[in-house]
Amino acid sequence: MKDTAVKPRRLQSYLDGAWRAGTGEGRPVYNAATGQIHALIGTEGLDFKAALEWGRRVGGPALRKHTIHERALMLKAIGLKLMEMKEEFYLENFATGATRKDGWIDIDGGIGTMLTFSSKARLELPNAKLITEGAVERLSRDGSFVAQHVLSPMEGVAVHINAFNFPIWGMLEKIAPSLIAGMPCIVKPASQTAYLTELVVRRMLETGLLPEGALQLVTGSAGDLLDHVSEQDVVTFTGSAGTGRMLKATPAIVQNSVRFTMEADSLNAAVLGADAGPGTPEFDLFVKEVAREMTVKAGQKCTAIRRAIVPSRFEEAVIEALSARLAKTSIGLPDGEGVQMGALVSRKDRDGVREKIREIAADCEIVSGDPENVTLVCGDAGQGAFMAPVLMRARDPMSADAAHGIEAFGPVATVMGYHDAEEAVALARKGRGSLVSSLFTNDRDIAREIVMGLAPYHGRVLIGNRGSAKTSTGHGSPLAPLVHGGPGRAGGGEEMGGIRGVKHFMQRTAVQGTPEMLSAVTGQWVEGAPAQSDGHPFRKSLAELRIGDQVITKSREVTQEDVEHFARFTGDTFYAHMDSDAAKANPFFEDRVAHGYLIASFAAGLFVDPAPGPVLANYGVDNLRFLTPVYFGDSLQVRLTCKAINPRANGDYGEVRWDCRVSNQKDEVVAQYDVLTMVAKTWPQVA
């Protein structure tokens, strides 16, 4: 490799506003492929209590000064800067044993995940410091006592303890939702690959785009860090279940009810459907996916396939096809030409995988690959942590407890035969909770039965078939909009999941009071809160518009001619609009009624100001409900109220949500919905 002569660098931690090295020279961290010392690491003598206090005192307030959109835009800017620097990260990545293709998941995938969170936050969350959740709950008959759930940032520090296999993605997928939520972070990467995390954090801090105190880094042992966490802090952990349980039992975490999310061991499965025999696209996809998951990152992925569950009659064909594919895998130095699989992260890890294989062999036999010997296209098998892919077969899958309970965290998988769908599900469930399982089938009935059986035991289920073969991201790819976690053995946590992930770092609070007080707290108009009518609100730019600005329109009568014209014009001749006898036979109506969409159209005609102005576009309605039938001769009137204002942080316009209440001459509400518009920040706009 190109870095074999490079002098090992002493890694530092970024704590309490400065880069700091622990006392002493530090212990060595080795290049996974060459066995040479790549870095020195250690945190002895560092003050973790002070780091937590600095994050709470400095980082938290600095982040919370900004709105959600402003924090999301910080991450976008950082992500784009990191993309410009990524070649430096790819070079450092080789020391982890990962090929460039493997590194793409970690580097481009990690940065892409952060950018996705930034985009989703700006699209789905308000440009505010507080998030409202759900509808306003009416708690009294007269509407004078109401409530709403709100989400506010936790005022502690998010401590992220990450695994060695994804030193960049593992950090960025956790800090992105934390920072968007307004919570500063302390990142503690696994020591084996901390040099790559440290490099990325250095570059992030050098951009100057994050507020002081928003991001800290621990390279080496976390020491007594968790002894100082408080009720406002959050801890996330990725790693072995044993270590996770130990950390979760830390007295400070237990005593302070600290939120603790764990993503741990997972005996993930891939199931081949009974319809997917040799010669079908699904069979080929299954073989390709299992082989890929065994060899990407040398099988050191939390989502890798450990158990290949196949119909017994296809077992020999699967083993033959998988063995042939794995035999073609070229192994060697991760930056070597044509190398498809690099090294495990360390020789210690490789030796641990070999030991696990020996334990699994109590119930299984090796059918492909030699765990003790490997042929390389380049590199030194005696120095690097290289290993050949090993395929095993369970003699009696239902009783192969070792194969279902021991995770060999490397290029290892076990083939298990099943006789029917019920048995396939039972085998997958013997993993006692997994991050992901996949099913390869083109049969809808098989998909329905097996997915329903897998779902309670898995955080994610992928259905692979010919229809998505070219577009699917595959079994092993966690995606930012989806939860990454699983029940039971997998830790019981849910990372990412889009905006769900952001909310994990916020406190949900039920706020109760009068509509006026609730509106003052949330910044959104609530039915019963004060409103003001001082000119048509559609004539106001965002600079002039206020929550509660309201217009009450004149009335319009709905005639039989209106309804019949609308029916002819639109083609909607549903009997309740056209046939009096049929309408009267309907339990909901007394006679012919107006179309619901005619009501919404007439309402728009009543409240829209037609002249050019600050309202730039109507982009939809939410929660449209038709509540009372409208008969010929009824009159409609609209009360339109500015409900929420959401200015774009980086645009010359914003979204405005209007409460639209349509009532009849008896003041009965016939329709209720939210109108969504784009409104200019100033008017007239300046080019």
Side-chain angles (χ1 to χ4, degrees), residues 266-270 293 302-305 307 433-438 454 457-462 474-478 484-486 490:
S266 183
L267 274 295
N268 310 299
E293 289 299 312
C302 58
T303 54
I305 294 169
R307 298 172 297 154
S434 301
L435 297 172
V436 54
S437 276
S438 53
L454 295 178
Y457 282 72
H458 294 81
R460 180 166 58 90
V461 177
L462 167 79
H475 166 102
S477 297
H484 175 55

Side-chain angles (χ1 to χ4, degrees), residues 174 368 521 531 570:
K174 290 182 179 181
S368 176
V521 170
T570 63

Side-chain angles (χ1 to χ4, degrees), residues 316-495:
E316 291 299 334
V318 167
I319 290 173
E320 181 179 347
L322 267 174
S323 298
R325 193 175 188 95
L326 293 171
K328 296 177 182 177
T329 303
S330 58
I331 306 169
L333 295 172
D335 59 348
E337 185 176 352
V339 170
Q340 296 170 301
M341 187 174 101
L344 280 73
V345 75
S346 70
R347 289 195 298 244
K348 179 181 177 182
D349 277 79
R350 180 201 59 193
D351 294 343
V353 172
R354 288 172 173 171
E355 177 57 35
K356 295 291 177 61
I357 291 173
R358 287 191 283 271
E359 294 179 44
I360 296 171
D363 301 323
C364 306
E365 60 180 329
I366 295 174
V367 293
S368 176
D370 182 348
E372 303 297 330
N373 297 287
V374 59
T375 300
L376 304 180
V377 297
C378 55
D380 186 338
Q383 296 299 315
F386 299 104
M387 182 178 172
V390 174
L391 186 66
M392 308 182 78
R393 170 168 51 187
R395 301 183 185 93
D396 179 1
M398 289 303 293
S399 63
D401 293 341
H404 294 298
I406 296 173
E407 183 181 22
F409 202 68
V412 183
T414 302
V415 176
M416 301 177 172
Y418 72 87
H419 297 95
D420 55 31
E422 184 178 359
E423 186 176 10
V425 169
L427 288 171
R429 288 182 169 204
K430 287 179 78 68
R432 299 178 60 203
S434 301
L435 297 172
V436 54
S437 276
S438 53
L439 167 65
F440 292 82
T441 181
N442 203 43
D443 186 298
R444 288 178 292 180
D445 293 333
I446 290 175
R448 184 186 308 110
E449 181 177 4
I450 291 184
V451 170
M452 288 291 289
L454 295 178
Y457 282 72
H458 294 81
R460 180 166 58 90
V461 177
L462 167 79
I463 304 172
N465 68 359
R466 65 196 74 182
S468 62
K470 294 182 179 180
T471 56
S472 172
T473 51
H475 166 102
S477 297
L479 299 172
L482 308 179
V483 294
H484 175 55
R489 180 191 177 100
E494 289 187 352
E495 295 181 0

Side-chain angles (χ1 to χ4, degrees), residues 192-215:
Q192 297 102 308
T193 54
Y195 45 84
L196 185 48
T197 310
E198 190 230 41
L199 176 62
V200 175
V201 170
R202 281 187 181 276
R203 298 298 176 257
M204 290 175 70
L205 294 176
E206 286 167 2
T207 67
L209 293 168
L210 279 175
E212 190 73 5
L215 180 61

Side-chain angles (χ1 to χ4, degrees), residues 549-568:
D549 277 352
Q550 187 177 88
V551 62
I552 298 176
T553 71
K554 63 182 181 179
S555 297
R556 172 172 181 166
E557 183 181 349
V558 178
T559 68
Q560 180 175 338
E561 183 183 358
D562 290 331
V563 173
E564 291 179 350
H565 172 74
F566 190 84
R568 289 191 302 270

Side-chain angles (χ1 to χ4, degrees), residues 130 132 136-137 139 143-150 509-531 547:
L130 189 76
T132 58
V136 173
E137 299 288 343
L139 303 178
S144 64
F145 187 48
V146 294
Q148 186 164 40
H149 290 96
V150 301
T509 305
V511 180
Q512 301 167 272
T514 64
E516 181 178 8
M517 293 298 103
L518 190 62
S519 181
V521 170
T522 64
Q524 297 186 11
W525 184 80
V526 177
E527 181 73 45
I547 297 297

